[in-house]
Structures are given as C-alpha cells and as structure tokens.
Amino acid sequence: QVRGLCGTYSWNQGDEFTTPAGDVESNVSAFANTYRVSSDCTVLDPFPLEPCGDFAGRRELAEASCAILHGPAFQ
C-alpha cells in the first residue's frame, strides 16, 4: 500500500520506480522528475546524479527527512 519516492516495499525491485501514473521508470532521475510538483523545481539530468554536490544546501533537510524513514513509523 506504499508508493512514491519511498518505493513500494513489495520486495520486488522491478516496481520500485512506479510513477504516479502507474508507469515504471528505468532510472532514478526519470522517476524523481515524475514527482515534481512545481515548475520551479530543477529537472534532474539522467546521469550522473550527485545529490551531495548538486544540492549541498539541502543536506540538513534531507537528513531530517531520512530520519523519519529510519524512525519508529517505518520499523
């Protein structure tokens, strides 16, 4: 019942990149771009994706968001 940027948790790697439209993307960038909610968001290039270098100013936000995924709600 889970989907989105967090994946499906179905233990099937073939459906982890399922888009909001139900399609399955073949790479991370194409998958992430389907979840853009604003035209102000940067369109990710296919490769190489270097999130730590490209989005260095967002590190604290990313770490806080990941902490939620590692917390009790997802255990």
Side-chain angles (χ1 to χ4, degrees):
Q1 295 181 4
V2 178
R3 68 178 196 171
L5 291 175
C6 295
T8 60
Y9 287 95
S10 66
W11 299 101
N12 176 3
Q13 289 184 336
D15 68 0
E16 286 301 308
F17 293 156
T18 302
T19 70
D23 302 322
V24 178
E25 289 292 345
S26 60
N27 69 63
V28 173
S29 298
F31 171 67
N33 284 329
T34 65
Y35 280 90
R36 289 177 53 238
V37 293
S38 169
S39 60
D40 294 337
C41 295
T42 303
V43 175
L44 299 175
D45 293 329
F47 287 101
L49 178 61
E50 298 292 337
C52 293
D54 294 344
F55 303 100
R58 309 281 284 185
R59 182 181 181 110
E60 288 181 18
L61 175 62
E63 287 176 348
S65 297
C66 286
I68 294 169
L69 295 175
H70 290 286
F74 289 94
Q75 290 181 356

